[in-house]
Amino acid sequence: MHPDLTSYIQSLQNEASDITRERKSKLTKLADYIRTKKDSGQPARLTFICTHNSRRSHLCQIWSAVTADYLGLDQIETFSGGTEATAFNPRAVAAVERAGFNVENPGGKNPRYKVFFDEDKEPLICFSKTYDDSYNPRKNFAAVMTCTDADENCPVVPGAEIRFSIPYVDPKESDGTSREKQTYDQRCRQIAAEMYYLMSQV
């Protein structure tokens, strides 16, 4: 794993105390689902869903995959989607790069970013899509709602065998302000810390 990214993840280990009891309870229930799937010899597929699949859902997809890898957990597959497709927001991409990932941007209206975290492993592929896109699993997966709008507008996620609501405040609120970089870095770190906690409970 990239050294800067390793250092970033190691620094998350002391931040469990910053996670509220309510959020820990939600994350633990998701960890129980992952453990049950693994114990039965099945892959645990997690599809993180927000409205535009541009910020929070991608950050969750990335950090859940990488913290699982860091902790030596296998059979965990992570995906993301939205109620509509836009693009992986460049501000969120920049926050990921500042955390220690190497990101390759092929260009285009909705780039299929390659997010590298380890020289010896395949990159994560991140691009905006609807949650029911053919790139994502169609059945036997957990739908993890990362924003309240998507949670309210998707009362049913076809194919999902279970559903969890773990919403985050949209960093979009700071776009174009002097707080932009700080807000994106804070949301990136919050999600990283919670995904680390999640995987540490499996």
Side-chain angles (χ1 to χ4, degrees):
M1 190 170 286
H2 299 320
D4 288 348
L5 186 55
T6 298
S7 296
Y8 188 101
I9 294 173
Q10 288 173 343
S11 72
L12 300 173
Q13 298 175 22
N14 298 320
E15 297 188 13
S17 60
D18 295 333
I19 304 172
T20 66
R21 181 178 299 178
E22 178 185 4
R23 293 189 71 82
K24 280 183 177 178
S25 176
K26 292 181 177 182
L27 293 164
T28 299
K29 289 176 182 177
L30 179 52
D32 290 343
Y33 166 81
I34 295 171
R35 189 184 315 109
T36 298
K37 298 295 284 188
K38 285 173 60 61
D39 288 347
S40 64
Q42 301 177 61
R45 298 188 177 98
L46 313 178
T47 300
F48 295 93
I49 301 171
C50 66
T51 303
H52 300 111
N53 191 208
S54 61
R55 297 170 175 82
R56 292 164 287 180
S57 51
H58 275 117
L59 293 175
C60 288
Q61 174 193 356
I62 291 168
W63 281 116
S64 59
V66 172
T67 54
D69 181 86
Y70 178 83
L71 291 168
L73 300 174
D74 57 8
Q75 291 186 290
I76 297 174
E77 302 172 11
T78 69
F79 307 86
S80 67
T83 55
E84 59 184 87
T86 53
F88 189 5
N89 190 274
R91 299 172 181 86
V93 174
V96 163
E97 290 178 312
R98 288 192 293 270
F101 292 90
N102 293 334
V103 181
E104 182 181 301
N105 179 2
K109 186 177 180 180
N110 182 13
R112 290 197 175 209
Y113 291 92
K114 292 182 179 180
V115 181
F116 295 87
F117 63 97
D118 191 310
E119 291 181 357
D120 298 323
K121 296 181 179 177
E122 291 296 314
L124 301 169
I125 306 299
C126 296
F127 65 100
S128 187
K129 70 199 85 63
T130 55
Y131 62 82
D132 57 355
D133 187 271
S134 60
Y135 192 85
N136 290 339
R138 297 296 187 90
K139 62 181 181 178
N140 301 327
F141 67 93
V144 186
M145 315 307 288
T146 64
C147 79
T148 53
D149 286 346
D151 201 13
E152 293 170 358
N153 292 325
C154 287
V156 176
V157 178
E161 60 184 0
I162 195 167
R163 176 190 182 112
F164 299 90
S165 178
I166 306 177
Y168 294 93
V169 175
D170 194 348
K172 181 181 179 179
E173 64 180 4
S174 70
D175 287 6
T177 73
S178 60
R179 299 181 295 105
E180 183 179 285
K181 180 179 177 181
Q182 178 184 10
T183 300
Y184 275 84
D185 285 348
Q186 288 175 340
R187 192 64 63 248
C188 181
R189 190 167 187 86
Q190 178 195 7
I191 290 173
E194 293 197 359
M195 292 301 103
Y196 182 89
Y197 178 82
L198 164 66
M199 295 304 168
S200 72
Q201 300 305 300
V202 173

